[in-house]
């Protein structure tokens, strides 16, 4: 067993860090206030291969392994919680196409994302159901050479700026209902696809949208994977995407921790730096411990993906632990900054707001615990 990153991964980390400190870090506050998508930074990152790093070269990617992808995610959010996630999640729908798409679908839809032209989205959640995926009501009905989609989705990352959205829809009314879900690649310029941006607590520069689908005609060749197998495809997708979200939250925790550590060395109270007060030392020790533990889980889950042995329980554990750790770490970082932590003068309040979503999206903490428990009970593959 070897806990050292190899030379290639170390060099990658250094290169992404250099890029992120120069091109992302100085702009976090500005994009948070403007609430604009960071198009220019997205394009720059794409040019360097930092968008969808693990996508194979034939579809425009850098062909890296998943551990490399996790390192990139971490470095992007260390520099800024909001811009970092926006860029990293530009590839959201891509793994579904990579895993289940035809050659034609891969060639058509993946390169524009990886080249930084337009992000990709995946629409599962609906106004009346999120965790209970099988309760979705968006419907797809076959009509000749098309499928006609009707319904609504909500909280869709990149929903109004993506070139395509992977839309999950009901194609059969069966019991159990999760056996009647199918994935479709919907081009967002298609008539009847309407998206409206949602305002939220954090991740302000993200495009998070509500989508309405009114008689959207999707050609049969845009059905993704197998009809009525969408739910199972999603579970495979989550095994990877949850590790990415976990890595993003390690980055946020690191970003907040480093800023708090620096502040604790400089700010004085009762005649000595904060870091010399035991209460602050204990906070920093716990923050560091949380980050180290989260990283071990995430790197192991990523390594398993690279071995072709993705483990649902471990992917969920990595996501659960890293996202909750990021909430704890950003909370304590803000506390160390005192009143300044609560002001807009420093980055910490943004990290605190942005990290909070980690226990909610890509499956809530409760859903992750359910996956782990089901796995322990032998109900899903380990
Ligand atoms: C910023 C942001 C971006 C997002 N991006 C996307 C995206 O790109 N695509 C997409 O499809 N969705 C996206 N989502 C939606 C997200 O995945 C859902 O919000 C999440 O899955 C929870 O669903 P819900 O909001 O409907 O909550 P609900 O499912 O209604 O859950 C409410 C609460 O009840 C708990 N709960 C539910 N069922 C159980 C149970 N059986 N046992 C115990 N507790 C339970 C939940 O854990 C939660 O605490 C995004 C959300 C946000 C906030």
């Amino acid at each position: 067993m070897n806990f050292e990153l190899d030379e290639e991964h170390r060099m990658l980390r250094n290169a992404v860090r250099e890029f992120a400190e120069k091109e992302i870090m100085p702009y976090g506050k500005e994009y948070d206030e403007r609430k604009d998508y960071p198009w220019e930074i997205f394009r720059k990152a794409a040019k360097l291969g930092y968008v969808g790093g693990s996508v194979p070269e034939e579809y425009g990617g850098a062909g890296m392994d998943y551990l490399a992808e996790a390192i990139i995610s971490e470095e992007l959010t260390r520099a800024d919680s909001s811009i970092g996630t926006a860029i990293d999640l530009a590839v959201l729908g891509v793994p579904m196409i990579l895993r289940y798409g035809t050659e034609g679908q891969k060639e058509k839809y993946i390169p524009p994302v990886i080249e930084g032209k337009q992000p990709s989205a995946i629409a599962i959640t609906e106004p009346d159901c999120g965790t209970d995926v099988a309760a979705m009501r968006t419907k797809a009905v076959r009509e000749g050479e098309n499928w006609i989609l009707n319904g609504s989705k909500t909280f869709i990352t990149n929903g109004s700026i993506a070139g395509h959205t992977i839309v999950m829809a009901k194609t059969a009314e069966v019991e159990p209902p999760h056996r009647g879900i199918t994935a479709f690649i919907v081009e967002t310029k298609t008539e009847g696809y309407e998206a409206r941006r949602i305002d939220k607590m954090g991740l302000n520069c993200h495009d998070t949208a509500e989508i309405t689908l009114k008689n959207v005609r999707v050609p049969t060749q845009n059905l993704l994977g197998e009809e009525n197998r969408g739910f199972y495809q999603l579970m495979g997708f989550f095994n990877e995407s949850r590790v990415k979200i976990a890595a993003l939250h390690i980055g946020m925790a690191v970003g907040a921790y480093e800023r708090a550590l620096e502040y604790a060395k400089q700010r004085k109270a009762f005649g000595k730096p904060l870091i010399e007060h035991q209460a602050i030392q204990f906070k920093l020790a716990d923050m560091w411990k949380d980050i180290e533990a989260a990283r071990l889980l995430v790197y192991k889950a990523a390594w398993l993906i690279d071995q072709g042995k993705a483990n649902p329980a471990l992917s969920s554990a990595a996501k659960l632990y890293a996202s909750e750790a990021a909430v704890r770490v950003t909370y304590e970082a803000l506390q160390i900054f005192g009143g300044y932590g609560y002001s807009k003068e420093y980055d910490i309040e943004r990290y605190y707001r942005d990290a909070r979503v980690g226990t909610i999206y890509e499956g809530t903490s409760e859903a992750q615990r359910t996956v782990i428990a089901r796995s322990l009970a032998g109900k899903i593959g380990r």
Side-chain angles (χ1 to χ4, degrees):
M1 192 183 274
N2 183 358
F3 286 98
E4 289 278 349
L5 288 181
D6 61 23
E7 179 69 10
E8 213 174 307
H9 288 104
R10 272 203 308 274
M11 279 168 57
L12 174 71
R13 184 188 286 288
N14 292 341
V16 184
R17 181 166 293 195
E18 197 178 315
F19 163 79
E21 286 185 350
K22 181 163 168 251
E23 304 289 350
I24 295 179
M25 207 177 257
Y27 305 105
K29 185 175 160 61
E30 180 187 330
Y31 275 93
D32 182 62
E33 284 170 2
R34 275 172 37 193
K35 301 189 177 181
D36 275 349
Y37 188 77
W39 283 106
E40 206 184 316
I41 307 175
F42 167 48
R43 288 186 188 117
K44 283 182 183 166
K47 220 176 216 170
L48 292 167
Y50 301 156
V51 171
S54 66
V55 168
E57 286 171 14
E58 65 256 47
Y59 308 117
M64 301 178 204
D65 58 16
Y66 211 76
L67 177 60
E69 180 126 0
I71 290 169
I72 294 172
S73 303
E74 188 185 326
E75 288 302 325
L76 294 179
T77 47
R78 171 187 170 270
D80 184 68
S81 48
S82 209
I83 300 177
T85 29
I87 291 170
D88 205 50
L89 295 181
V91 293
L92 256 183
V94 166
M96 281 286 278
I97 303 178
L98 255 185
R99 268 173 170 266
Y100 307 108
T102 61
E103 206 43 45
Q105 290 170 340
K106 290 179 194 174
E107 281 168 10
K108 182 170 181 189
Y109 293 109
I110 298 177
V113 182
I114 306 305
E115 288 160 12
K117 292 192 177 122
Q118 250 183 327
S120 158
I122 179 161
I124 310 158
T125 308
E126 300 193 352
D128 292 333
C129 64
T131 308
D132 187 4
V133 171
M136 72 174 56
R137 290 199 294 204
T138 295
K139 267 207 172 104
V141 177
R142 176 108 190 226
E143 207 181 275
E145 286 311 297
N146 290 299
W147 287 87
I148 313 295
L149 270 62
N150 277 288
S152 49
K153 298 285 179 182
T154 194
F155 295 121
I156 308 309
T157 303
N158 307 326
S160 64
I161 58 169
H164 67 260
T165 297
I166 311 296
V167 176
M168 307 304 297
K170 276 274 172 71
T171 37
E173 288 305 329
V174 289
E175 281 303 327
H178 68 266
R179 292 196 182 150
I181 295 172
T182 303
F184 295 90
I185 306 174
V186 179
E187 294 185 10
T188 56
K189 60 177 194 271
T190 313
E191 201 183 329
Y193 179 106
E194 277 168 29
R196 191 183 62 84
R197 201 174 159 158
I198 300 168
D199 213 9
K200 44 193 200 310
M201 169 180 172
L203 299 183
N204 279 344
C205 73
H206 285 222
D207 175 80
T208 310
E210 224 170 45
I211 296 173
T212 316
L213 303 154
K214 274 191 209 143
N215 294 321
V216 174
R217 297 180 90 77
V218 180
T220 48
Q221 70 262 26
N222 276 27
L223 188 148
L224 179 59
E226 266 181 75
E227 192 176 334
N228 296 325
R229 295 289 298 170
F231 182 85
Y232 300 98
Q233 292 167 12
L234 265 186
M235 295 306 118
F237 162 79
F238 284 144
N239 287 341
E240 284 182 21
S241 65
R242 285 175 176 161
V243 178
K244 175 180 267 306
I245 297 289
L248 285 169
H249 282 77
I250 296 177
M252 290 191 203
V254 172
Y257 161 78
E258 287 179 353
R259 284 162 172 86
L261 179 63
E262 211 37 53
Y263 189 79
K265 287 178 187 167
Q266 284 162 16
R267 174 84 174 174
K268 285 194 175 136
F270 298 92
K272 56 184 182 182
L274 290 178
I275 199 165
E276 287 178 26
H277 293 276
Q278 196 180 50
I280 302 294
Q281 290 169 353
F282 281 11
K283 285 188 198 305
L284 288 164
D286 279 340
M287 291 156 81
W288 179 84
K289 171 264 292 170
D290 260 349
I291 290 166
E292 287 293 311
R295 207 180 261 137
L296 286 175
L297 273 171
V298 170
Y299 284 11
K300 183 172 177 190
W303 177 81
L304 282 166
I305 291 169
D306 288 330
Q307 306 305 308
K309 295 184 206 157
N311 178 319
L314 205 73
S315 293
S316 279
K319 196 271 182 182
L320 171 65
Y321 192 85
S323 60
E324 294 196 342
V327 170
R328 286 193 294 273
V329 170
T330 53
Y331 176 94
E332 292 294 18
L334 195 150
Q335 191 69 16
I336 291 172
F337 271 77
Y340 291 105
Y342 199 68
S343 82
K344 294 265 180 188
E345 192 181 333
Y346 289 90
D347 295 333
I348 290 300
E349 63 83 29
R350 187 170 68 257
Y351 274 74
Y352 176 70
R353 283 186 283 115
D354 291 347
R356 186 62 187 85
V357 77
T359 68
I360 297 166
Y361 68 1
E362 217 68 7
T364 61
S365 284
E366 292 75 16
Q368 308 309 330
R369 288 188 169 90
T370 305
V371 172
I372 297 167
R374 282 175 60 81
S375 175
L376 299 179
K379 292 191 178 161
I380 45 176
R382 289 183 183 203

